[in-house]
Amino acid sequence: MIFLRKILFPLALLYWIITYIRNFLYDFGLFKSQSFTIPIIAVGNLSVGGTGKTPQIEYLIRLLKDYKVATLSRGYKRVSKGYVLASENTSPTDLGDEPFQFYYKFPKVLVAVDANRRNGIAELLKHKPDVILLDDAFQHRKVKAGFYILLTTYNDLFSDDYILPFGNLREPEMGKKRANLIIVTKCPNDLSEIAQVKIKQQLMVTVPVYFSTIVYDTYLYSETNKIEIKTFKEEKVLVAGIAKPDLFFDFLGNQNDEKLVFPDHHDFNEDDIKKILAVANDRKIVTTEKDYVRLKGKIPNEQLYYLPIQSKLIQNETNFNTKILDYVGKSSGNS
């Protein structure tokens, strides 16, 4: 691994230079960012994948329940092109798994996808939302959001990482300066204040830093049924196609359970389904919410279950909520 990193270092240096110049040109107005007269909150990260953007977007949706909320994502690995607004006629392949999950869970929310965020916002404005949540848009500099939330994971802080392909950072660490606040995600729920202070020092930022943990539901859900987890003692098959499935496996897995791992955002084909069903051998199949929307309809409803999760702030939840609600309530634009 060390040898490979040494080989990749020149490429990482070149990538660092390119992303630094790009950000410099935006920061000094030589490349133009478009602002909109509506509150826009961008949620993203400096690294690739697995920082918990989806549960954080869902947290904001719940927090902003008194507003007409819209979400805009790129729609990673979807088969459609251009702007698509979720409706009863769209599927996970039209939207991508995470946007479809938003639509499935929050049918009153406007859910749209468009790789061109400027165009996507312009199209959403025709539906007169009160606030737009940009999913995974921290590096999308063509749009200037009014509020930026930067996520970094407890076990993989951006301050400990390196630029691609030497490490996992999409841009130099100095990009953190664009954030209005930072959330350290996937923390132990008993993270001490001393540990929090140490992490804040490592991140070296002047904006507020919050700490969140993953909270699992007490039930597993199918299309028509639910099972309380503490009473569920059967052997089962756990299926995960997410970036970092260890927490999911650790929470649900028993010694005799079988685990099947697929790539993040995996499109389950016919061979995958045959393999899952063969391994399950009539046992229940439990998966993540994101995988469920792609497996639903391909596996018998009575056999397929999923485990919902939520993001929960360890401390200062009221303070965080107030910052978001104040921004949305008082903001008349993003200039």
Side-chain angles (χ1 to χ4, degrees), residues 119-139:
N119 181 71
I121 292 171
E123 290 293 329
L124 278 172
L125 289 179
K126 297 176 183 178
H127 301 273
K128 299 182 178 179
D130 297 319
V131 56
I132 295 176
L133 306 179
L134 295 183
D135 177 26
D136 196 14
F138 201 80
Q139 284 77 35

Side-chain angles (χ1 to χ4, degrees), residues 7-235:
I7 294 176
L8 294 175
F9 181 78
L11 292 175
L13 182 60
L14 176 62
Y15 183 72
W16 188 96
I17 292 170
I18 292 171
T19 53
Y20 176 84
I21 292 173
R22 175 180 181 269
N23 281 331
F24 176 87
L25 293 173
Y26 274 110
D27 290 341
F28 285 86
L30 298 175
F31 285 176
K32 298 298 182 183
S33 298
Q34 184 172 350
S35 300
F36 294 85
T37 58
I38 181 176
I40 297 178
I41 301 174
V43 178
N45 48 27
L46 296 183
S47 62
V48 292
T51 56
K53 294 183 296 294
T54 300
Q56 187 56 49
I57 291 286
E58 292 184 358
Y59 181 102
L60 295 174
I61 290 173
R62 294 185 181 95
L63 176 63
L64 298 168
K65 63 183 183 301
D66 294 331
Y67 293 91
K68 186 177 182 180
V69 176
T71 69
L72 179 62
S73 309
R74 177 179 54 163
Y76 185 63
K77 285 194 174 181
R78 63 187 171 114
V79 298
S80 60
K81 302 294 183 181
Y83 173 81
V84 178
L85 181 67
S87 71
E88 60 184 13
N89 297 318
T90 52
S91 68
T93 56
D94 299 318
L95 298 176
D97 49 18
E98 290 162 346
F100 190 83
Q101 181 177 317
F102 298 150
Y103 176 69
Y104 184 79
K105 294 179 71 173
F106 306 101
K108 293 184 179 180
V109 171
L110 293 166
V111 176
V113 293
D114 197 337
N116 184 334
R117 305 299 173 96
R118 286 182 180 178
N119 181 71
I121 292 171
E123 290 293 329
L124 278 172
L125 289 179
K126 297 176 183 178
H127 301 273
K128 299 182 178 179
D130 297 319
V131 56
I132 295 176
L133 306 179
L134 295 183
D135 177 26
D136 196 14
F138 201 80
Q139 284 77 35
H140 200 91
R141 303 292 308 269
K142 291 183 179 180
V143 168
K144 184 180 179 183
F147 201 95
Y148 287 90
I149 298 176
L150 177 61
L151 308 182
T152 186
T153 54
Y154 170 77
N155 287 322
D156 192 16
L157 300 172
F158 60 69
S159 57
D160 298 331
D161 208 345
Y162 302 93
I163 199 78
L164 287 166
F166 190 67
N168 293 312
L169 294 183
R170 297 172 171 178
E171 62 172 304
E173 184 186 339
M174 64 186 69
K176 65 189 180 184
K177 295 179 180 178
R178 300 197 302 277
N180 292 91
L181 60 83
I182 292 172
I183 303 177
V184 182
T185 62
K186 301 182 180 180
C187 297
N189 58 18
D190 58 351
L191 186 67
S192 69
E193 292 192 23
I194 293 175
Q196 293 179 34
V197 170
K198 183 178 179 181
I199 291 172
K200 290 178 183 179
Q201 292 171 343
Q202 287 178 256
L203 296 180
M204 297 180 63
V205 293
T206 58
V207 297
V209 179
Y210 299 87
F211 297 83
S212 70
T213 188
I214 293 296
V215 176
Y216 294 94
D217 204 296
T218 56
Y219 286 86
L220 301 174
Y221 296 85
S222 71
E223 179 73 7
T224 58
N225 190 30
K226 67 179 183 179
I227 302 173
E228 191 172 12
I229 293 174
K230 67 180 182 181
T231 65
F232 184 45
K233 306 300 182 182
E234 302 174 29
E235 290 183 18

